[in-house]
Amino acid sequence: MAARRTPEEARAAREAKLDEVREQLTEQVEKLVTGEDWKQALTFAAKFRSRSVNNSWLIFAQHQSAFEAGRVPEPMPTYVAGFRQWEQLGRQVQKGQKGYAILAPVTGKFASKTPADPMSWRKLAPKEAPKPGEVVRSRMIGAKVAYVFDISQTSGPDVPLPPTPQLLQGEAPAGLRDGLVRQVVEAGFQFLPVPHEGTIHGANGLTNFDTKQVAVRTNMDDAAQVKTLVHELAHVKMHGPDQEEARQHRGVGEVEAESVALMVGAAHGMDTSAYTIPYVSGWAMAADGKNPVQVVQATAERVRKAAVEILDRLDTAQISDGTPPGLTREGPEVSTAKQAERKLPARSSARREPAARSARSSSLVRGL
């Protein structure tokens, strides 16, 4: 008869399993971001100009209305461009589709012989040529309404799209939601279920360090809600106002939070890879000046530490320590250790508020 494992041996075996899951994530991210489909999708995306924050909100709100009216098939916009831009890409706006109104800049040309002097610039009339020796620059002098269309409002040749995260389906393991909510509350945050993504800026979840709230939308399956809750709990533990690196490079923070969700899910027999792999890949690519695979690798230790901390505080059936499902190997010494552990006062992971914040946006961590 094999000797029973001590709690320390069981924990080491579980952590080894988590390390294995983490390595698989790195391999899958590398495979995805180096593939031809991914490269083609990025090349296509590069043809679109970035939108201002205000215009992004305008597009999102109007796309939501179009979705509710049944004019578009998905609630979230993807690629957005003007009528002529779509024609240049070989696609046509479908008959009956309404464009999304945005504010487009109106620019004018200004000339100066002494550009260092702000008062020396003069506006050029239409078709007016600058004088010899003058420097010419364009400046925004106003705005006008322009219209753009989501790719779902167009038809034509197939467009290379990167793989999109697929929401989990079904029920989450018993007790996992309650255990995660308890940790959110112990960290000093309020758990706030919301009816749909429109209330949290189109996300599946949102962590707000100003209001001390963690919100998760409830119009998705239980498994998806619980995975999102792990993601947000990781933000709470890892990305407070004092965590400058992760907050300056949002891609790093999202890679870390979703990687924690993968590991905690794996410890409970949940396969989150259909969502996690493309999500992590996309955010790893978004970390400026960093190789996406290196971003994932560099977060390994922080992710592992956060995942283990969350798992240690859960009173759930976790399968990643190697114990076959349906069997118990708890001896008296294990049960006693667990009972003693549960009597210990819960550690608060609430973060100290800084004296001041540079911007309101620094307090929001958008979830998946």
Side-chain angles (χ1 to χ4, degrees):
M1 181 176 175
R4 297 181 187 275
R5 285 181 179 175
T6 65
E8 291 76 16
E9 290 172 338
R11 191 171 192 270
R14 184 193 64 186
E15 292 187 25
K17 286 284 186 180
L18 295 184
D19 289 340
E20 181 181 335
V21 170
R22 195 68 171 72
E23 290 172 6
Q24 290 172 353
L25 171 63
T26 303
E27 292 172 1
Q28 291 299 317
V29 167
E30 181 174 19
K31 182 178 178 181
L32 184 59
V33 301
T34 57
E36 286 302 315
D37 290 345
W38 186 271
K39 292 178 183 177
Q40 290 176 9
L42 291 181
T43 301
F44 182 87
K47 297 178 182 179
F48 292 86
R49 297 178 181 177
S50 61
R51 305 290 175 185
S52 68
V53 173
N54 286 339
N55 279 338
S56 295
W57 281 113
L58 286 171
I59 291 169
F60 174 77
Q62 293 170 89
H63 189 87
Q64 288 282 305
S65 296
F67 174 71
E68 292 172 1
R71 296 196 304 271
V72 293
E74 299 292 338
M76 291 293 290
T78 51
Y79 289 137
V80 176
F83 189 94
R84 299 300 177 192
Q85 285 179 301
W86 280 122
E87 286 188 332
Q88 293 171 10
L89 293 167
R91 296 181 68 88
Q92 300 292 324
V93 173
Q94 297 167 355
K95 186 176 180 179
Q97 287 289 353
K98 298 179 180 180
Y100 305 151
I102 62 172
L103 295 177
V106 176
T107 60
K109 289 186 177 181
F110 294 78
S112 172
K113 286 187 177 181
T114 55
D117 180 6
M119 303 301 295
S120 67
W121 291 90
R122 65 184 184 88
K123 187 177 183 302
L124 296 176
K127 298 184 179 180
E128 178 186 358
K131 297 176 181 179
E134 285 187 324
V135 174
V136 178
R137 292 178 183 170
S138 294
R139 294 180 182 174
M140 181 176 172
I141 58 175
K144 64 180 180 181
V145 176
Y147 293 89
V148 294
F149 300 83
D150 184 69
I151 190 174
S152 63
Q153 298 175 287
T154 69
S155 57
D158 289 340
V159 168
L161 296 173
T164 56
Q166 301 299 310
L167 290 176
L168 275 65
Q169 297 180 343
E171 298 293 319
L176 183 52
R177 175 192 292 270
D178 291 342
L180 294 169
V181 170
R182 184 169 58 250
Q183 291 192 43
V184 167
V185 173
E186 288 173 350
F189 284 69
Q190 176 192 7
F191 175 60
L192 185 65
V194 296
H196 57 81
E197 62 273 22
T199 61
I200 48 176
H201 313 318
N204 292 337
L206 188 72
T207 296
N208 190 322
F209 284 90
D210 267 350
T211 63
K212 292 284 188 174
Q213 289 179 325
V214 167
V216 173
R217 69 180 177 99
T218 56
N219 60 337
M220 52 185 178
D221 280 8
D222 182 58
Q225 293 181 45
V226 169
K227 192 225 42 107
T228 300
L229 182 52
V230 182
H231 181 111
E232 299 308 322
L233 178 58
H235 279 315
V236 168
K237 290 181 174 293
M238 304 175 73
H239 305 138
D242 57 332
Q243 297 293 323
E244 290 298 326
E245 172 69 14
R247 297 179 72 83
Q248 287 178 359
H249 303 281
R250 184 183 170 195
V252 173
E254 294 302 319
V255 166
E256 290 182 338
E258 186 60 20
S259 298
V260 170
L262 173 75
M263 296 177 76
V264 172
H268 292 84
M270 298 174 66
D271 181 5
T272 73
S273 57
Y275 191 102
T276 298
I277 302 303
Y279 187 91
V280 168
S281 299
W283 279 110
M285 292 289 293
D288 294 339
K290 299 176 183 289
N291 177 286
V293 177
Q294 291 176 341
V295 171
V296 178
Q297 292 173 331
T299 65
E301 187 54 37
R302 279 172 50 82
V303 165
R304 181 177 181 276
K305 181 179 178 181
V308 169
E309 180 181 346
I310 291 172
L311 289 168
D312 279 350
R313 296 168 68 88
L314 288 171
D315 187 16
T316 53
Q318 299 172 19
I319 65 172
S320 58
D321 65 353
T323 302
L327 295 183
T328 177
R329 50 172 186 71
E330 277 194 354
E333 73 280 4
V334 179
S335 299
T336 302
K338 281 196 172 182
Q339 291 171 6
E341 182 180 283
R342 290 170 190 164
K343 291 179 181 179
L344 292 175
R347 293 173 292 169
S348 173
S349 54
R351 298 187 180 278
R352 176 175 52 87
E353 289 291 330
R357 291 186 178 88
S358 59
R360 166 75 176 169
S361 60
S362 67
S363 66
L364 292 174
V365 180
R366 182 173 174 177
L368 325 225

